[in-house]
Amino acid sequence: MKIASIKQKWYWVLGLLGGVGFIANVLTFYPGYMSNDTLSQLGQALGSQELNDMLPLAMMGLWRLLIAVTGHASAMLFFQLLLLWLGVGLLAVYVFRETGSRKYSLLPFAIGILPVILNISGVVWKDNQMAFALFLACVLILFFKYIHGVYGRIGLLVTSLMLMVYACLVRYNALIAIVPLMFLAFRQSGFIKTRSRQVLASLGMIVVTVSCFSLMSFAFNSKSSNPVSFVMLDDVVNVTSSGVLGSSSLSPDFKEDIREVQECARSKKMLVNNYWVCANEEQRERFSLSNFSGLKELWMKTLVSNPLDYMLYKTQSYVSFLFPAEGVYYVWQDGIEPNEFGQEVKFERPGEIVGIYVNNFGYKNFHFMYEPWFWLAACIGLFVYMKKNRNTDSIILLIVSSAALYLLSYFPTGATVDYRFIYWSVLACVTVSILLVVKRINRRPKNTRSKSRAR
């Protein structure tokens, strides 16, 4: 009875620590750091800007709802960090239940203060919400082993799947990352026994998720902006030869648009992001709206006529993504960009302190941990470690698979030099490392573990 009482009190301590971390995180970034992308999303949520699918409609709709309920744009920051710290707190509870060690149960709280996680945790970005939603979903899946009631397990399964769907709706290329996680959720729930049916259930949920994109566009009656045009334009300007462009049936004006962007891309050595850097506003409208069909036609012709050059270009852009040039990597959002919505940082000094911590300590001494190649290597290393130790833990393997697939998804789509694009993989690898520590402790002889439990 006494031991049970001590455990119960420690759960309260873990909950308190999670609450303190959440509040500190919110106050540091309040009302949420915002880039121009964020402010555009806020403008749509407030109804002052035209709705389009260039930015995730699911995030806009949630933000609009939160503003309607609370009256404050900062509600999105609370929601975003609640996903993170609820996951951290529950992971701490899981570690304590598995090991009985109060010392090791504090390990998950390092997630919230690591410079590679803290740096953009309070920036209101779709990438962060995707990462935190997947993180919480993975932590919830860990608790299936403790819940025996049917309704409790159904609730856990539905919640974890909803978090995955939301993650995908706010970040399109997360679709490939949620495949192993959905399989994991169905596998751990115990409702579907055979692997083939678990795979079918996962694929069914992927179909449901994809259909939600169209449902969102219909529900909000948003303007289609064909975001895929960004990728197509990069491919065209970097691969299309003058002969292919000249022989196409496109209008002379459209061909001239392509040539202008090509010249800009070559002069600035832009492998990706030409839509924003090299195209002017009128050209962007033509590429993504009025003449998207022409861009698509040229893109298809380029792929057919230059398949080898296309693959070499994709390899070059992906290698540039994995190994970013020194001094150009974006790891810190400095507050809130100037805006018309009255949004400004409330507590400047805490943010400045975190900025010094992230840039002068984290990035300065561990810059490799902010670069994609390191986390892709970490995924490979974790796979090798698991195989070497004959560890077949499906939870760990599938989370690592999700992290690796997410990084690999940038090969066909391309990505600018921006840390937020690898954020989920960072968080996933850190989480898996903690789970491996738990497994290592549980493999110790009982007398050694009992000493650890007493600490």
Side-chain angles (χ1 to χ4, degrees), residues 22-43:
F22 169 71
I23 293 171
N25 208 168
V26 167
L27 293 178
T28 298
F29 291 93
Y30 189 85
Y33 283 12
M34 303 181 195
S35 67
N36 288 326
D37 282 353
T38 314
L39 292 167
S40 294
Q41 188 92 82
L42 177 58

Side-chain angles (χ1 to χ4, degrees), residues 402-416:
S402 174
L405 287 171
Y406 186 65
L407 287 173
L408 293 172
S409 72
Y410 287 107
F411 182 89
T413 61
T416 55

Side-chain angles (χ1 to χ4, degrees), residues 36 55 137 249 263 265 404 417 437:
N36 288 326
L55 296 169
S249 59
E263 290 175 4
V417 183
V437 170

Side-chain angles (χ1 to χ4, degrees), residues 22 24-35 38 63 74 76-78 80-82 84-85 112 117-125 128-129 132 332-333 335-336 345 354 423:
F22 169 71
N25 208 168
V26 167
L27 293 178
T28 298
F29 291 93
Y30 189 85
Y33 283 12
M34 303 181 195
S35 67
T38 314
W63 206 346
S74 61
M76 185 57 97
L77 175 69
F78 280 83
Q80 180 172 303
L81 292 180
L82 183 62
L84 171 63
W85 284 97
I117 303 240
L118 179 60
N119 62 329
I120 60 172
S121 61
V123 186
V124 183
W125 276 334
N128 302 356
Q129 296 204 2
F132 297 158
W332 174 253
Q333 168 65 32
I336 302 176
V345 176
V354 172
Y423 202 45

Side-chain angles (χ1 to χ4, degrees), residues 230-402:
F230 305 172
V231 178
M232 288 182 175
L233 183 63
D234 285 331
D235 294 347
V236 164
V237 299
N238 281 282
V239 180
T240 301
S241 64
S242 57
V244 171
L245 181 60
S247 64
S248 68
S249 59
L250 300 172
S251 67
D253 289 343
F254 191 77
K255 291 179 182 179
E256 185 59 31
D257 286 336
I258 296 294
R259 291 191 184 97
E260 288 180 7
V261 177
Q262 275 185 325
E263 290 175 4
C264 171
R266 288 166 184 166
S267 64
K268 295 183 178 181
K269 297 182 178 180
M270 295 294 299
L271 293 172
V272 295
N273 210 32
N274 290 285
Y275 184 88
W276 295 109
V277 175
C278 289
N280 58 42
E281 187 174 348
E282 291 79 11
Q283 289 170 335
R284 286 195 289 269
E285 193 277 338
R286 286 192 287 272
F287 291 145
S288 61
L289 295 174
S290 62
N291 206 353
F292 172 69
S293 59
L295 178 63
K296 185 178 179 180
E297 176 188 334
L298 182 58
W299 181 77
M300 290 296 296
K301 192 171 184 178
T302 299
L303 262 64
V304 172
S305 60
N306 299 305
L308 179 58
D309 194 29
Y310 174 77
M311 289 303 298
L312 288 173
Y313 157 67
K314 283 298 184 183
T315 302
Q316 181 186 6
S317 62
Y318 189 66
V319 171
S320 298
F321 165 71
L322 290 178
F323 305 99
E326 184 178 357
V328 300
Y329 210 49
Y330 187 46
V331 300
W332 174 253
Q333 168 65 32
D334 193 13
I336 302 176
E337 299 292 339
N339 63 91
E340 59 185 284
F341 309 113
Q343 297 298 308
E344 57 183 20
V345 176
K346 183 69 173 179
F347 310 107
E348 292 186 1
R349 204 168 297 277
E352 291 172 351
I353 292 171
V354 172
I356 293 171
Y357 168 63
V358 168
N359 290 305
N360 296 359
F361 170 72
Y363 188 67
K364 180 180 179 180
N365 297 293
F366 308 99
H367 63 89
F368 56 90
M369 295 186 71
Y370 293 82
E371 298 178 1
W373 69 265
F374 176 81
W375 296 104
L376 184 58
C379 291
I380 297 171
L382 288 166
F383 276 119
V384 172
Y385 174 84
M386 298 283 284
K387 185 175 181 179
K388 183 179 179 181
N389 290 271
R390 297 180 180 178
N391 193 328
T392 57
D393 189 305
S394 60
I395 294 177
I396 292 176
L397 287 171
L398 290 169
I399 293 176
V400 173
S401 297
S402 174

Side-chain angles (χ1 to χ4, degrees), residues 6 15 25 47 68 70 84 94 98 108 157 159 185 190 360 368 371 378 403:
I6 292 174
N25 208 168
T70 66
L84 171 63
Y94 173 80
E98 287 292 296
L157 178 62
T159 303
N360 296 359
F368 56 90
E371 298 178 1

